Amino acid sequence: MAYEDLREFISMLDAEGELARIKHEVSPVLEMTEIADRTVKAGGKALLFEKPKGYDIPVLLNAFGTERRMKLALEVERFEEIGERLLSALEFKPSSFVDALKGVGMLKEFMSFIPKKTSKAPCKEVEAESLDKFPILKCWPKDAGRFITLPVVITKDPETGEINAGMYRMQVFDGKTTGMHWQIHKHGAEHFRKMAEKGEGKIEVAVAIGVDPATLYAATAPLPAGISELMFAGFIRRERLKVTECETVDLFVPANAEIILEGYVKADEFRMEGPFGDHTGYYTPPEPYPVFHITHITHRENPIYHATVVGKPPMEDAWLGKATERIFLPIIRMMHPEIVDMNLPVEGAFHNLAIVSIRKRYPGQAKKAMYAIWGTGMLSLTKVVVVVDDDVNVHDIREVIWAVTSRFDPARDVVLLPPSPTDSLDHAAYIPNLAGKLGIDATKKWKEEGYNREWPDAVEMDAEVKRRVDEFWNKIKNMVL
Ligand SMILES: Cc1cc2nc3c(=O)[nH]c(=O)nc-3n(C[C@H](O)[C@H](O)[C@H](O)COP(=O)(O)O)c2cc1C
Ligand SMILES: [Mn+2]
């Protein structure tokens, strides 16, 4: 049964023993961060702060902070199921994921999850004057102020009319004004640019805070442009998302959201945003970003404010990222069949390092896999790609280090790219958004690749001997272990 809203998810977490209700008075200024940081790093529970100091609206943090909770959120045993369902819905062999989702053959199943309009909208129950009533966190000491960290930002493509929902943090400037941190590679930024190019002075924006888990996840997912996140949310939930018409802008929002902000972003107005303690583990320095002017605020009766704290990994967003890694793997494998598995280690902040295993069938195929990663959606921003053979478990870093250090010759097996698009949060880039890339081919080398002898066999015991030892291992085991 799909979660209708955030509240149903919270109830389920409670029933599963996954929720801690904090009755202490805790300040949303820094104190909640310290508690969330200690909790997530220890694999602890979701946190419902019932008495935020100075506010009467509870705060939910760390809802997705473990693998188990992320799976409960998306109602799957394995994240791959979602990608596999997408592929199995295909009626032809598309040459790309975009073809797949937009093409003729697609996906009656996906299309059947178009959001369902309703006029019964809890998110519109109560009108509010300003953001000041919400316990919005100041996360880290050097943050420029309070930041809304889990907003689902909804815009309409000024050319095609397609709707996008992306998660872009919002710095609170005052009760009716925030920053709009859509980075240049993101669809919100693309809609903004198209609006400016058309000479329209502003773009309408709606923001939902506190949504059902599938919708929240979908807003963070690297879907191709033009693929509706709200439809994807319905696909994940296996039930259409209920949306309702905004009151002051021409957009639809999740009807059961806790809080809705309506407003606009002007073409010619930029303001310094940040610093912000970011998911790279560093403060992202101040940079000019567009400004969101809020014209209308509504919320449910007794709303819940949903937030996350990012910082030095691992933090809660690690599990949103890991879900993405797993969900999109089947699709990446469809497009690039040599790829077997992929690990985007949390410590690499997802864009900094990808470890990919391949089944090599022809010379140079490891290089092809690198170029595939660098040519695929948001993976194109990946700074370092390491390619190993499929006898290596990419999720076991010790095995990866063994394979990489033993199987690559730095003089021959390195690919260095000239400055190329990089994540806006790549602090090492000499020029923001532009940096080199490194590929390491750590596959076993072949004669056809210029290696002038046979690759040595790995040291392994005979299966027959293992079987013989298995027979009496239990008697010895307790002595030796
Ligand atoms: C907690 C969290 C915060 C994020 N904050 C931002 C942000 O401030 N700016 C941004 O461009 N992307 C941010 N992202 C990543 C985007 O949500 C992600 O790239 C998403 O795919 C963007 O949607 P789009 O492809 O429709 O633009 C954040 C992701 C998470 C999980
Ligand atoms: Mn998008």
Side-chain angles (χ1 to χ4, degrees), residues 44 75 80 83 96 117 144-145 151 213 246 250-251 267 275 282 292 322 360 373 376 408 418 426 439 446 449 453 470:
E75 299 180 277
E80 288 88 339
S96 78
K117 290 171 186 169
C246 286
D250 184 22
L251 290 166
Y282 300 95
F292 177 44
K322 276 288 155 189
K360 189 155 79 175
I373 295 293
T376 301
F408 100 111
D426 181 358
W446 291 4
E449 294 177 316
R453 55 206 187 280
D470 275 346

Side-chain angles (χ1 to χ4, degrees), residues 152-157 160-168 182 185-191 203-206 218-230 251-252:
V152 175
V153 177
I154 297 167
T155 50
K156 187 185 286 181
D157 187 313
T160 64
E162 288 161 334
I163 297 297
N164 192 73
M167 182 157 292
Y168 320 116
W182 45 45
H185 310 109
K186 307 303 171 72
H187 299 145
E190 178 64 11
H191 290 185
I203 183 167
E204 291 184 336
V205 178
T220 75
L223 295 173
I227 305 300
S228 160
E229 285 85 2
L230 299 184
L251 290 166
F252 283 81

Side-chain angles (χ1 to χ4, degrees), residues 338-342 354-360 366 369-370 385-395 399-405 407 440-444:
E338 61 276 324
I339 292 179
V340 173
D341 202 356
M342 181 172 70
I355 304 164
V356 175
S357 60
I358 64 165
R359 198 162 296 139
K360 189 155 79 175
M370 293 171 194
V385 178
V386 174
V387 183
V388 294
D389 297 297
D390 68 341
D391 64 321
V392 177
N393 174 4
V394 293
H395 305 287
E399 222 176 283
V400 170
I401 291 173
W402 170 71
V404 169
T405 52
R407 294 183 194 179
I440 295 177
D441 175 357
T443 56
K444 294 178 200 162

Side-chain angles (χ1 to χ4, degrees), residues 347-419:
E347 293 72 15
F350 295 100
H351 288 311
N352 290 341
L353 176 61
I355 304 164
V356 175
S357 60
I358 64 165
R359 198 162 296 139
K360 189 155 79 175
R361 289 286 181 264
Y362 52 79
Q365 204 170 0
K367 311 288 193 305
K368 189 234 178 202
M370 293 171 194
Y371 306 140
I373 295 293
W374 288 325
T376 301
M378 282 295 119
L379 278 174
S380 63
L381 303 180
T382 308
K383 184 149 65 168
V384 180
V385 178
V386 174
V387 183
V388 294
D389 297 297
D390 68 341
D391 64 321
V392 177
N393 174 4
V394 293
H395 305 287
D396 181 344
I397 293 298
R398 297 169 74 171
E399 222 176 283
V400 170
I401 291 173
W402 170 71
V404 169
T405 52
S406 63
R407 294 183 194 179
F408 100 111
D409 173 352
R412 314 254 321 220
D413 299 333
V414 163
V415 174
L416 266 180
L417 294 197

Side-chain angles (χ1 to χ4, degrees), residues 128-132 172-178 262 291-297:
E129 274 306 300
S130 99
L131 293 174
D132 295 342
V172 177
F173 294 134
D174 62 49
K176 295 207 126 176
T177 327
T178 75
E262 300 177 8
V291 179
F292 177 44
H293 294 277
I294 301 171
T295 52
H296 193 56
I297 304 176

